[in-house]
Amino acid sequence: MSATVYTQLSHDDSLSVEQQERLAAILDEYLVSVESGVPLPLDSLLERHSDLKEQLLPYLSGLEL
């Protein structure tokens, strides 16, 4: 994960440390899938992590570009 994304995650006061760590892990999982040439479907990723959907959407939208 880029340092910029990690820095943004660590400064999100609305999330607990555990949620920030989960969010970082989910984004890492997505980036690995993209780099491997088989990106995870965003809808299933958001469904699996529905409690963090609101926080994931902006990051995933940016990464999808």
Side-chain angles (χ1 to χ4, degrees), residues 3 5 11 13-16 21-25 27 29 31 33-35 37-38 42 55 57 59-62:
V5 171
H11 288 101
D13 294 333
S14 66
L15 298 175
S16 69
E21 290 172 353
R22 280 187 51 229
L23 188 56
L27 293 170
E29 176 186 9
L31 286 173
S33 74
V34 168
E35 290 172 354
V38 185
L42 294 182
Q55 290 80 17
L57 280 172
Y59 291 110
L60 292 174
S61 296

Side-chain angles (χ1 to χ4, degrees), residues 5-62:
V5 171
Y6 183 77
T7 301
Q8 290 170 346
L9 289 175
S10 65
H11 288 101
D12 189 341
D13 294 333
S14 66
L15 298 175
S16 69
V17 171
E18 179 184 342
Q19 288 172 315
Q20 290 175 21
E21 290 172 353
R22 280 187 51 229
L23 188 56
I26 295 163
L27 293 170
D28 279 341
E29 176 186 9
Y30 180 73
L31 286 173
V32 167
S33 74
V34 168
E35 290 172 354
S36 72
V38 185
L40 296 169
L42 294 182
D43 55 341
S44 75
L45 188 68
L46 293 169
E47 186 177 309
R48 282 190 298 147
H49 305 287
S50 60
D51 61 316
L52 292 173
K53 182 178 181 177
E54 187 176 315
Q55 290 80 17
L56 280 167
L57 280 172
Y59 291 110
L60 292 174
S61 296

